Amino acid sequence: MIKLTLSLLEEGESSLSVQLVSRKYENVLQQMDSGILLFDRDGELCFMNIQMEGMLGAPQHLFLGCTLSQLIRHPYMGRDKRKMIVRIYKETITRCSKYCECNDSQGRTWLVTVTYGDQLDGDVLLSFKDISESKRIELTAVQNDKLAMLGQIAAAIAHEIRNPLTSIRGFIQLLRPHLQTLGKDEYARIILSEIDRANDIIYEFLNSSKPTDPMKRDISVSSLVKEVILLSESEALMKGCQIDFAEHAVPLYVSIDVKQIKQVILNVIKNAVDAISSIRREHDGLIRISVARKGSYAHIMIRDNGKGMDKLTMSRLFDPFFTTKQAGTGLGMSVSDRIVKNHGGTIEVQSEVGEGTEFTIVLPLAAH
Ligand SMILES: Nc1ncnc2c1ncn2[C@@H]1O[C@H](COP(=O)(O)OP(=O)(O)OP(=O)(O)O)[C@@H](O)[C@H]1O
Ligand SMILES: [Mg+2]
């Protein structure tokens, strides 16, 4: 009699411990950072964790007992989630895949994993993991690969272009005394400095797959902008664009590689001129440049009243080789972005189709 009572007690204790263990595991599943759906051997939903409730935006009791195909038609299921479940259904049930990737309406990417087999006793487990961050890193890696390819192309371009540039440079130097006698030494000086700039750009391209530290010196933002305007004004005027510069009252100093940042501003101005001339404004093309201080940064704003950009163009603006122009290389903005980032700055863009575009080059102020 006593023996029987003891064994009953033991049985009670062991079923209690089984309950405790299963509650513990359920708790672990509830707290997981992935969404979990568990279907029993009849294909009916028997468990859903908190994360999954959050994703579906409704409590689990509304869905328990539903099959995957009933979930698709469930009245609580919005259009986007329905689309996602249809895709999972196709991949897992029709194509028997163990993984599938889905995007939701908020632009997040989910990795859905299906687990079934003997170890699950006929049950089917679907887990949903948010992999948006790793996708973003993957995308950046692709972008970096493109930049590495840019380096290889640059090497080929440099090889082909450097030689004729060297000959032109040599002949201009030979012609220089004749130009001096004609009082046109200024022309020779400009040609030589432009050839040097072209050589520098090639050098810069060559190094684009392994960015080097810029050769920095302190310069006032206003004098930098004025120098660039001098270089680009005549071409802009020929294309019907006036360049207007509102100087900042207090001088702002930045510590930069002057040649590199000049190239950035030139690229932006050249794009502004192209955007204006593409809508054939007669003489009302206007490029407004202004400078401002925001905290410990200098902002160089370059605004144009050109054709503006749509969302697609804006999203691909900094991609190497992305261009909407017949004769464009699509390298201007990608190189500029990298140069400015190497200086610890950023390039911001605002644009409206038919209205114009404003680029803001943000650079850290020099420490004084
Ligand atoms: N100010 C602007 N207004 C309208 N679209 C612009 C502007 N700046 C850039 N874009 C768009 O961004 C694209 C990429 O510009 P990016 O400077 O990188 O290359 P590109 O100008 O096409 O070629 P490249 O600079 O080699 O001549 C352009 O083709 C154009 O569609
Ligand atoms: Mg350009």
Side-chain angles (χ1 to χ4, degrees):
M1 181 66 191
I2 294 171
K3 225 175 175 182
L4 190 70
T5 325
L6 266 176
S7 80
L8 274 174
L9 265 173
E10 274 168 13
E11 220 169 77
E13 261 175 29
S14 76
S15 78
L16 194 71
S17 66
V18 167
Q19 268 182 23
L20 279 174
V21 170
S22 77
R23 204 168 298 154
K24 192 171 168 183
Y25 284 127
E26 185 180 327
N27 206 21
V28 170
L29 281 179
Q30 286 290 10
Q31 302 308 323
M32 273 177 72
D33 65 344
S34 302
I36 300 282
L37 288 180
L38 187 65
F39 294 89
D40 62 18
R41 57 176 64 226
D42 299 322
E44 289 173 359
L45 184 68
C46 56
F47 175 78
M48 175 194 279
N49 72 349
I50 300 172
Q51 180 82 359
M52 199 67 217
E53 286 184 332
M55 278 171 67
L56 294 178
Q60 67 162 332
H61 69 85
L62 290 173
F63 304 109
L64 287 182
C66 291
T67 61
L68 198 55
S69 54
Q70 282 168 340
L71 276 184
I72 296 169
R73 293 188 295 272
H74 199 285
Y76 270 92
M77 210 56 81
R79 203 167 150 259
D80 297 320
K81 282 163 197 148
R82 193 166 293 160
K83 259 171 78 181
M84 200 161 150
I85 294 181
V86 169
R87 187 160 144 59
I88 295 166
Y89 190 91
K90 274 191 193 152
E91 290 292 328
T92 59
I93 310 282
T94 321
R95 297 198 187 113
C96 294
S97 318
K98 293 216 158 181
Y99 306 97
C100 89
E101 274 181 27
C102 307
N103 292 317
D104 66 12
S105 54
Q106 287 147 37
R108 286 177 304 187
T109 309
W110 296 92
L111 174 68
V112 184
T113 315
V114 191
T115 317
Y116 49 84
D118 294 343
Q119 70 271 36
L120 276 180
D121 212 15
D123 291 356
V124 178
L125 181 89
L126 289 186
S127 84
F128 295 69
K129 191 166 178 55
D130 184 352
I131 54 161
S132 317
E133 185 58 19
S134 47
K135 275 274 143 189
R136 200 187 52 75
I137 295 170
E138 204 176 290
L139 256 173
T140 316
V142 171
Q143 182 110 346
N144 287 345
D145 278 354
K146 282 188 190 170
L147 280 174
M149 192 172 78
L150 175 71
Q152 288 169 10
I153 293 172
I157 296 173
H159 188 257
E160 294 304 314
I161 293 181
R162 256 193 182 163
N163 295 341
L165 278 182
T166 314
S167 336
I168 297 170
R169 201 176 196 289
F171 282 114
I172 290 296
Q173 271 170 331
L174 286 177
L175 282 175
R176 196 164 191 177
H178 303 284
L179 287 169
Q180 264 166 353
T181 53
L182 292 171
K184 302 287 182 195
D185 187 46
E186 181 67 2
Y187 288 0
R189 196 190 61 76
I190 292 175
I191 294 171
L192 286 173
S193 79
E194 289 297 283
I195 288 175
D196 289 345
R197 196 161 65 82
N199 267 323
D200 286 347
I201 291 171
I202 292 169
Y203 178 79
E204 169 61 31
F205 277 176
L206 269 172
N207 285 286
S208 60
S209 53
K210 40 179 177 11
T212 48
D213 272 349
M215 305 241 301
K216 292 183 178 174
R217 73 173 165 94
D218 284 7
I219 184 170
S220 102
V221 181
S222 293
S223 63
L224 173 79
V225 171
K226 279 190 211 156
E227 280 182 39
V228 179
I229 293 177
L230 259 179
L231 280 173
S232 49
E233 201 165 33
S234 52
E235 201 194 326
L237 279 173
M238 264 169 23
K239 294 189 173 166
C241 314
Q242 198 191 318
I243 303 182
D244 184 57
F245 176 43
E247 233 181 297
H248 194 260
V250 190
L252 301 175
Y253 282 87
V254 281
S255 176
I256 53 165
D257 185 315
V258 177
K259 274 185 188 163
Q260 290 189 356
I261 297 294
K262 261 189 188 174
Q263 191 193 330
V264 172
I265 304 175
L266 273 174
N267 285 344
V268 176
I269 294 181
K270 190 176 163 291
N271 281 345
V273 172
D274 289 346
I276 289 169
S277 46
S278 70
I279 50 172
R280 288 193 216 92
R281 287 177 183 270
E282 281 300 297
H283 292 291
D284 60 350
L286 184 61
I287 299 169
R288 269 223 159 97
I289 308 182
S290 55
V291 176
R293 181 194 173 138
K294 298 231 169 105
S296 53
Y297 288 87
H299 284 219
I300 306 169
M301 278 82 70
I302 302 167
R303 167 183 274 281
D304 67 65
N305 56 355
K307 67 172 179 169
M309 275 181 270
D310 56 22
K311 286 226 163 68
L312 182 73
T313 308
M314 289 267 281
S315 68
R316 304 206 49 201
L317 181 64
F318 298 110
D319 284 0
F321 307 113
F322 171 75
T323 182
T324 56
K325 300 169 194 171
Q326 248 175 5
T329 64
L331 290 174
M333 292 321 297
S334 80
V335 168
S336 303
D337 186 46
R338 195 170 41 76
I339 292 177
V340 172
K341 277 190 182 140
N342 269 353
H343 280 79
T346 50
I347 301 183
E348 293 163 10
V349 198
Q350 281 186 324
S351 190
E352 198 76 50
V353 176
E355 293 289 318
T357 303
E358 181 172 78
F359 277 89
T360 306
I361 301 165
V362 180
L363 291 168
L365 288 170
H368 275 293

